[in-house]
Amino acid sequence: GPPPTAGQAATADGTLGIQAWDALRDSCIEGLREPVNICSTGTAEITTVTSTRGVLVDGSGEGAYGDNAACAVLLQAPPGAKVIIKFIEFDLDSTVNPMDQGPLHTSADYVRLYDGADTDAPMISWLSGQNVDASAWASQGEQMLVTFVSGQAHAQYGPGGGAYVPNTAQGFKAVWTFSDSGADCDLNV
């Protein structure tokens, strides 16, 4: 069938079922592609990726990711194709500093998916905490912007005042592919 629309998850009976995603995950992760680090530039500069499939990571390796990150990757499919992404590991700090809230702002760490090349495009999803599930997300067009933001270390108050507690969450790992790419990490579906 056709790929899911923006904001719609592909399920076991959708375009890429559970076995297909398992095959994609296994073949991508086991050396076919060097993972793309969303924070490779260390700034909010957007890195554009045109590989037909691969693995996207937060860049922390086996440890916790750092505080104060603002990172972005633009997944750019060829004309007529769509971007499909699925998070296979997801552990972000969901602690919110009540002094640092406002409309569309929170100090909880998050990943946002946009249906286009910048943050003015429609948002497909806003993910935080440990909410990875069987969902896959698809763009309407050829571009999907993936942003990752981690806030400051949060204050923890006790006897004698406050202390800043650094993040201990492990970050994320996702696999992506382009619809109609014909080369989905040796995915034969």
Side-chain angles (χ1 to χ4, degrees):
T5 59
Q8 178 183 8
T11 60
D13 57 357
T15 302
L16 291 179
I18 293 170
Q19 293 169 333
W21 276 112
D22 288 347
L24 175 62
R25 178 198 62 216
D26 294 345
S27 62
C28 285
I29 290 174
E30 290 175 7
L32 287 179
R33 291 278 178 204
E34 185 68 25
V36 173
N37 176 356
I38 194 169
C39 292
S40 63
T41 62
T43 67
E45 180 180 330
I46 297 172
T47 302
T48 300
V49 178
T50 58
S51 302
T52 58
R53 74 265 189 216
V55 178
L56 182 65
V57 296
D58 63 84
S60 63
E62 297 299 317
Y65 60 86
D67 294 317
N68 299 313
C71 313
V73 164
L74 176 63
L75 300 175
Q76 175 71 55
K82 297 180 180 357
V83 179
I84 303 170
I85 191 168
K86 179 181 171 96
F87 291 88
I88 56 175
E89 295 177 16
F90 201 90
D91 178 27
L92 298 186
D93 184 1
S94 59
T95 304
V96 176
N97 179 345
M99 300 299 290
D100 191 23
Q101 294 185 58
L104 295 178
H105 180 76
T106 173
S107 60
D109 303 342
Y110 58 85
V111 170
R112 289 183 186 164
L113 307 176
Y114 293 92
D115 192 18
D118 56 40
T119 56
D120 291 331
M123 190 185 315
I124 297 170
S125 188
W126 180 340
L127 307 166
S128 187
Q130 292 78 37
N131 62 347
V132 70
D133 58 23
S135 297
W137 306 99
S139 64
Q140 291 280 341
E142 296 109 14
Q143 298 173 317
M144 182 187 288
L145 179 67
V146 182
T147 64
F148 169 51
V149 172
S150 66
Q152 300 180 52
H154 61 277
Q156 186 173 55
Y157 293 94
Y164 283 94
V165 179
N167 166 57
T168 58
Q170 298 297 302
F172 66 86
K173 184 180 290 183
V175 291
W176 84 84
T177 188
F178 299 151
S179 67
D180 304 323
S181 68
D184 301 333
C185 286
D186 297 337
L187 184 62
N188 298 312
V189 293

